[in-house]
Amino acid sequence: METILLLAHVEPDGSLAKSAREALHAARDLNKALAGSTLVIGLSGENVQAAANSIAACPATKYFGVQGVEFAPSRYATDAAAAEALCKAAGATLVVAPATSRWNRVLPGVAQRLAGRVDSHVTGVAASGPQPAISRWYYRQRMEATLTRTQRPWLILIDPGSQKACDCGPGAAAVEMVPVNLTDSVKRTTVLGLRQPPADAQTIRPDAPLLFVTGAGWTKKQADGQTHVPEAEKLILDFLKVTRASLGSSKSLVDLGGEGQAILPFLSHLNQIGQTGATPRHPKGLSTCCHGEEPHTVGWRFIGERRAISLDPNCGWARGKADVLYVADAFAVIAKVNQLLAGNP
Ligand SMILES: Cc1cc2nc3c(=O)[nH]c(=O)nc-3n(C[C@H](O)[C@H](O)[C@H](O)COP(=O)(O)OP(=O)(O)OC[C@H]3O[C@@H](n4cnc5c(N)ncnc54)[C@H](O)[C@@H]3O)c2cc1C
């Protein structure tokens, strides 16, 4: 009989992140699919009670917590100690956790300590007969595989955005606190703080309903024989401001910076979508001034509805990569769209 542990760290404000609720949804799916299994919750952080209460209506039979000021920051040694203690206290055979940067770096080491196994980038869970099974993508999202394992505990890191977030409501959870003995050597790394770009400079928004992708065409000579980079910059930023879309890019456009050409300063390689870039998840995507070549569109695997604006009627989008292709000048289209979105028809 499997004991399924949902393992999550709480946020600095004491809440549970959406990615943790998504992992809980996956854990619950496994729990429903595996006859005789039990679902338990393990939380770590400075104070876990509020997070436990926020999901108290879920069908977990027990709640375990590791808490204290030492467990607030993302620090390998204390996070690993907390995760190990929670897995042991729960007697977990399956550990389902959100693939946050924090758990991604810690849980493989925890699996080693527990003589278990770990799988990252998991996008689905199910039962294969009486056995749990997971699915994940390989070769830059071109092939999907289903895997089972006999080794326990099996730690499963669920990719954020791949599941529905569980909507179980609040209540009063009885949390069993698990003591963790921290030696000084475990605490020798001090987290001084976080550095992040100001909110309006943050163009990558994983939770946005729309992915807006810019291609190299924005920096190319246009019908008048001139480039129009400042105009492109304004159109793109205005569009992002009104839509709060997440900004993606083709490789050609982000590479131009390295080649010393005029580029859009708010783009970095982190915005790149594709085979050597990111594979984000959004309900909709709009590509502009991009050719839609295979190494780029492979990164659109998890975009629900795809639309593109390109001057070239024979571009890759026209060959089955997009649901709708507008053969049009993106400068003109986005200018008009921005005008409409600003309420000026
Ligand atoms: C191993 C490998 C890995 C790669 N990985 C990636 C990757 O991860 N991501 C990625 O993006 N690429 C990747 N590439 C590169 C990829 O093959 C393409 O070269 C790249 O995607 C092209 O970028 P682009 O479409 O923006 O530019 P271009 O091919 O230059 O296309 C520009 C497009 O803009 C259009 N255009 C110009 N002006 C306008 C206008 N006013 N209105 C509308 N349309 C206009 C043009 O018609 C053209 O179709 C990889 C290549 C290799 C070999």
Side-chain angles (χ1 to χ4, degrees), residues 216 220 222 250-252 272-273 275-276 291 293 296 329-330:
K220 296 268 165 75
Q222 296 298 307
S250 70
K251 183 174 188 310
S252 289
Q272 186 183 316
I273 309 295
Q275 180 176 337
T276 41
H291 198 72
E293 287 184 27
H296 174 72
D329 178 355

Side-chain angles (χ1 to χ4, degrees), residues 30 33 38 43 54 73 93 115 123 128-129 145 164 166 172 210 261 279 284 302:
L30 263 184
T38 48
L43 301 172
S54 73
T93 55
T123 55
S128 168
K164 276 200 275 179
C166 92
L210 177 69
Q261 295 188 37
T279 315
K284 293 184 180 182
F302 302 120

Side-chain angles (χ1 to χ4, degrees), residues 190-247:
T190 306
V191 178
L192 297 176
L194 291 175
R195 271 195 221 167
Q196 51 196 355
D200 58 351
Q202 182 59 270
T203 57
I204 298 172
R205 302 182 177 119
D207 290 331
L210 177 69
L211 172 72
F212 181 66
V213 166
T214 51
W218 284 107
T219 61
K220 296 268 165 75
K221 285 184 182 165
Q222 296 298 307
D224 60 1
Q226 307 294 318
T227 61
H228 293 267
V229 177
E231 194 185 333
E233 182 174 343
K234 181 165 178 354
L235 285 172
I236 294 164
L237 289 178
D238 283 353
F239 182 85
L240 293 177
K241 207 158 124 191
V242 282
T243 60
R244 306 299 293 164
S246 189
L247 179 62

Side-chain angles (χ1 to χ4, degrees), residues 140 214-218 220-222 249-253 272-278 288-298 309-312 315 317 326 328-332:
R140 300 304 303 179
T214 51
W218 284 107
K220 296 268 165 75
K221 285 184 182 165
Q222 296 298 307
S249 175
S250 70
K251 183 174 188 310
S252 289
L253 187 53
Q272 186 183 316
I273 309 295
Q275 180 176 337
T276 41
T288 53
C289 293
C290 166
H291 198 72
E293 287 184 27
E294 172 69 11
H296 174 72
T297 54
V298 72
I309 308 169
S310 174
L311 281 175
D312 184 355
C315 67
W317 300 112
Y326 304 97
D329 178 355
F331 281 81

Side-chain angles (χ1 to χ4, degrees), residues 32-47:
K32 279 192 267 187
L34 297 171
S37 64
T38 48
L39 175 66
V40 297
I41 309 283
L43 301 172
S44 72
E46 185 166 355
N47 193 322

